[in-house]
């Protein structure tokens, strides 16, 4: 296989234009980049919520954050509120920030749980979390104390990056892909009008259709529906509501969950559900009844199968975005998986004739990342107290991956959380969701006994007071967006 000097990206949308923009920024004119897309084919565009790593991607492109939010009608995001997941009427937040402060080599939560076990006044976990406090209070500022991501219109983001990429030398070709020429590996894309678009390397951003990685190369798919049984979604925009809250909301429903994402110009809403437990008509009714404002369009149906390609990099083709696999958007990881695949490909970019070792490294890392996210999503479903609904009973009674079972039992027995360095969800994330879903440890690390009870109580009170003080200094999220990022 020859060194890669030209890349053809099949498909636009968020995945295609993120890829094109990043490759143009890193490689410049030394790499010939062509993107083929058809205006006849729509994009999914449900990825309107992100996790904090997106800031790293935008920084690589040297995007001005205020300009980016203006162009995408975006708002800030401090976390995700989960309503009704443990049981009806219960809610908790998975925020992006630190929870408390570690002390003497031990994570904070060991001291907090110890105080609760001994009848202290440790309060709630969220009392030590500035991100959560600011989210519920509707406040925001750029600060070292807050960790933020974004809500934005994915279609506007793709258009924004298209302008960026074309200015950086990317060639866009309008046309519908009719066929893929394959001789051991991919040679060219054949368009409906007869043109052939050749290249050294091809990136499949054709969404669920996966025209290259599956349609041409027959790579195979690993189905995860036995762990993540939701297989359909409905998405509908509604009118903007005030105030603009700096967090996403995920509300458990009879056979799935609904999302709410606040943008400057509208609110994004959707319903992810399992068609084995609810009809499309019932799912539509459940979505529409919980809208906070007037619907601006008809609900758009989406069908999917959770899982991943058996190889994301196969021969001279790399799948990015929905063509690589799908993990439902419960923890806003769809755009992150696009980003991480792009970053991984840049680091492993094929400069010589041997791609096999690079492809193996890429696939191993990508599979580990996707399986870690898969386990984190399964946790939300599996540990639940919704005992009178067949969908939730089946989730609670299913056999889960050994990797997740080990994490849950380790935490339940000892309050320990083992987080490998490459996992995108760190200790505060696992802690908040395990605690939020009702998993309580039976014991904590014995070193906590070395801190006197009164000293521990003062330590915890000080952290709560510090969180409250910092919250009072933050302006309203609405006002911050209006002042710095509003699309006028």
């Amino acid at each position: 296989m020859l060194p890669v000097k030209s890349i053809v990206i099949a498909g636009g949308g968020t995945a295609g234009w993120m890829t094109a923009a990043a490759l143009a920024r890193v490689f410049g004119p030394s790499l010939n980049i062509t993107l083929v897309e058809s205006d006849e084919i729509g994009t999914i565009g449900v990825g309107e919520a992100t996790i904090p790593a997106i800031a790293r991607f935008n920084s690589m492109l040297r995007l001005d954050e205020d300009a980016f939010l203006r162009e995408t009608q975006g708002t800030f995001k401090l976390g995700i509120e989960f309503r009704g997941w443990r049981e009806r009427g219960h809610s908790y937040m998975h925020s992006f920030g630190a929870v408390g402060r570690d002390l003497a080599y031990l994570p904070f939560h060991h001291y907090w749980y110890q105080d609760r076990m001994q009848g202290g006044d440790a309060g709630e976990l969220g009392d030590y979390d500035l991100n959560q406090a600011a989210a519920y209070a509707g406040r925001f500022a750029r600060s070292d104390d807050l960790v933020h991501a974004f809500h934005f219109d994915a279609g506007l983001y793709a258009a924004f990056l298209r302008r960026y990429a074309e200015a950086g030398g990317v060639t866009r070709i309008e046309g519908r892909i009719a066929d893929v020429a394959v001789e051991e590996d991919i040679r060219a894309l054949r368009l409906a009008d007869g043109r052939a678009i050749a290249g050294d390397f091809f990136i499949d951003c054709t969404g669920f259709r996966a025209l290259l990685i599956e349609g041409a190369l027959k790579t195979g798919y690993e189905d995860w529906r036995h762990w993540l049984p939701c297989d359909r979604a409905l998405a509908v925009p509604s009118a903007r509501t005030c105030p603009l809250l700096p967090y996403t909301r995920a509300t458990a429903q009879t056979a799935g969950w609904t999302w709410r994402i606040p943008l400057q110009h509208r609110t994004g809403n959707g319903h992810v559900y399992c068609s084995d437990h609810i009809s499309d008509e019932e799912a539509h009714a459940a979505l529409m009844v919980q809208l906070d404002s007037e619907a601006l369009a008809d609900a758009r149906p989406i069908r999917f199968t959770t899982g991943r390609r058996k190889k994301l990099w196969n021969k001279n083709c790399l799948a990015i975005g929905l063509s690589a696999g799908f993990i439902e958007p419960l923890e806003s990881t769809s755009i992150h998986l696009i980003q991480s695949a792009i970053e991984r490909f840049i680091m492993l970019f094929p400069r010589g004739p041997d791609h096999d070792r690079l492809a193996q490294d890429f696939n191993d890392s990508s599979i580990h990342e996707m399986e870690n996210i898969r386990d984190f999503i399964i946790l939300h479903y599996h540990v639940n107290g919704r005992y009178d609904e067949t969908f939730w009973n089946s989730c609670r009674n299913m056999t889960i991956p050994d990797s997740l079972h080990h994490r849950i039992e380790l935490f339940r027995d000892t309050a320990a959380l083992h987080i490998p360095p490459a996992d995108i969800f760190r200790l505060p994330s696992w802690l908040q969701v395990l605690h939020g879903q009702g998993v309580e440890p039976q014991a904590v690390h014995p070193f906590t006994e070395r801190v006197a009870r009164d000293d521990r109580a003062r330590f915890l009170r000080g952290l709560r007071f510090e969180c409250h003080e910092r919250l009072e200094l933050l302006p309203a999220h609405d006002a911050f967006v209006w002042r710095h990022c509003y699309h006028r």
Side-chain angles (χ1 to χ4, degrees):
M1 191 175 292
L2 297 175
V4 172
K5 295 184 178 179
S6 63
I7 283 185
V8 177
I9 300 169
T14 307
W17 287 112
M18 283 181 71
T19 303
L23 293 179
R25 172 73 184 92
V26 172
F27 295 104
S30 66
L31 182 66
N32 183 278
I33 306 167
T34 303
L35 186 146
V36 180
E37 69 174 340
S38 172
D39 291 334
E40 300 173 11
I41 300 173
T43 58
I44 297 296
V46 300
E48 294 173 330
T50 58
I51 61 176
I54 188 67
R56 184 177 69 242
F57 183 82
N58 287 350
S59 177
M60 179 185 71
L61 298 184
R62 297 185 179 177
L63 300 181
D64 176 81
E65 189 168 277
D66 289 349
F68 148 69
L69 288 170
R70 282 194 293 271
E71 292 294 322
T72 62
Q73 301 270 14
T75 61
F76 294 94
K77 175 184 173 183
L78 297 174
I80 307 172
E81 180 190 37
F82 291 94
R83 291 188 172 184
W85 284 78
R86 182 199 296 189
E87 58 192 22
R88 287 190 187 88
H90 179 270
S91 66
Y92 70 92
M93 177 151 320
H94 167 205
S95 80
F96 298 139
V99 179
R101 186 184 304 138
D102 297 349
L103 177 66
Y105 308 107
L106 275 187
F108 161 81
H109 69 275
H110 285 270
Y111 299 100
W112 180 73
Y113 275 118
Q114 179 76 333
D115 199 72
R116 286 165 62 94
M117 290 173 183
Q118 294 181 349
D121 62 349
E124 298 300 321
L125 194 62
D127 295 339
Y128 303 86
D129 182 350
L130 182 61
N131 257 60
Q132 175 174 316
Y136 280 136
R139 299 189 179 194
F140 178 80
R142 291 190 180 96
S143 164
D144 291 340
D145 296 327
L146 289 176
V147 180
H148 69 270
F150 311 104
H151 305 117
F152 55 75
D153 185 312
L156 294 178
Y157 187 49
F160 180 49
L161 293 181
R162 173 183 169 180
R163 295 191 293 272
Y164 177 99
E166 290 184 315
V170 174
T171 300
R172 178 187 182 271
I173 293 177
E174 161 65 29
R176 182 172 60 82
I177 300 170
D179 191 20
V180 181
V182 179
E183 300 175 14
E184 291 191 9
D185 56 12
I186 296 176
R187 299 300 185 184
L189 307 181
R190 296 194 182 102
L191 306 188
D193 61 8
R195 286 177 292 171
I197 312 300
D200 298 326
F201 198 93
F202 294 80
I203 298 181
D204 189 340
C205 298
T206 62
F208 289 134
R209 295 172 297 146
L211 295 180
L212 281 62
I213 197 74
E214 196 62 50
L217 297 181
K218 312 299 181 188
T219 301
Y221 196 77
E222 185 172 298
D223 190 328
W224 288 346
R225 279 178 295 183
H226 50 294
W227 290 314
L228 296 170
C230 290
D231 58 355
R232 298 187 185 183
L234 293 164
V236 62
S238 64
R240 180 189 191 276
T241 58
C242 295
L244 289 175
L245 298 177
Y247 60 91
T248 306
R249 181 179 296 152
T251 304
Q253 303 291 339
T254 302
W257 59 280
T258 52
W259 76 74
R260 182 186 183 279
I261 298 172
L263 305 176
Q264 291 183 29
H265 61 318
R266 62 178 172 85
T267 302
N269 309 274
H271 188 181
V272 175
Y273 61 98
C274 177
S275 62
D276 288 341
H277 292 270
I278 190 172
S279 70
D280 294 338
E281 294 74 21
E282 290 170 322
H284 181 272
L287 170 62
M288 302 307 287
V289 76
Q290 59 86 55
L291 296 184
D292 293 338
S293 56
E294 177 189 2
L296 300 178
D298 293 333
R300 185 159 49 94
I302 303 163
R303 295 192 177 192
F304 56 84
T305 299
T306 51
R308 62 165 177 82
R309 299 291 157 202
K310 293 183 177 178
K311 295 180 181 179
L312 284 75
W313 180 339
N314 187 10
K315 299 185 178 180
N316 68 333
C317 177
L318 174 66
I320 291 182
L322 298 177
S323 61
F326 185 75
I327 305 174
E328 60 175 77
L330 182 61
E331 284 283 357
S332 309
T333 53
S334 298
I335 286 178
H336 171 76
L337 285 171
I338 295 170
Q339 171 187 339
S340 63
I342 293 168
E343 292 172 348
R344 192 173 292 121
F345 180 63
I346 288 172
M347 296 302 297
L348 296 171
F349 190 82
R351 298 174 178 83
D354 183 10
H355 295 186
D356 291 345
R357 184 174 298 175
L358 298 173
Q360 186 63 53
D361 287 347
F362 183 98
N363 288 329
D364 289 346
S365 297
S366 299
I367 289 169
H368 171 81
E369 179 179 48
M370 294 183 77
E371 289 180 348
N372 175 62
I373 295 172
R374 175 204 67 193
D375 286 1
F376 194 56
I377 302 299
I378 295 170
L379 171 63
H380 298 66
Y381 284 103
H382 178 61
V383 183
N384 77 79
R386 298 177 67 107
Y387 292 101
D388 57 346
E389 294 161 304
T390 57
F391 171 78
W392 293 98
N393 287 337
S394 66
C395 291
R396 189 173 53 258
N397 294 324
M398 69 181 169
T399 300
I400 60 176
D402 290 341
S403 50
L404 175 58
H405 181 266
H406 172 71
R407 290 207 205 211
I408 295 173
E409 293 308 308
L410 181 65
F411 181 77
R412 182 177 280 128
D413 291 342
T414 68
L417 286 165
H418 173 64
I419 312 295
D423 289 357
I424 65 167
F425 291 112
R426 311 307 300 159
L427 187 149
S429 296
W430 282 90
L431 170 64
Q432 290 175 87
V433 175
L434 282 163
H435 177 71
Q437 294 293 139
V439 182
E440 293 290 313
Q442 302 304 305
V444 297
H445 197 285
F447 186 82
T448 57
E449 295 289 358
R450 301 296 297 274
V451 178
R453 186 168 181 173
D454 289 346
D455 291 341
R456 184 183 65 228
R458 279 192 295 272
F459 171 66
L460 295 174
R461 282 197 303 271
L463 291 179
R464 293 200 299 274
F465 179 75
E466 185 179 300
C467 183
H468 176 75
E469 274 196 323
R470 291 178 176 176
L471 176 65
E472 293 302 310
L473 298 176
L474 298 175
H477 174 245
D478 254 348
F480 189 93
V481 171
W482 177 264
R483 187 178 306 119
H484 298 284
C485 319
Y486 192 69
H487 183 92
R488 294 176 174 83

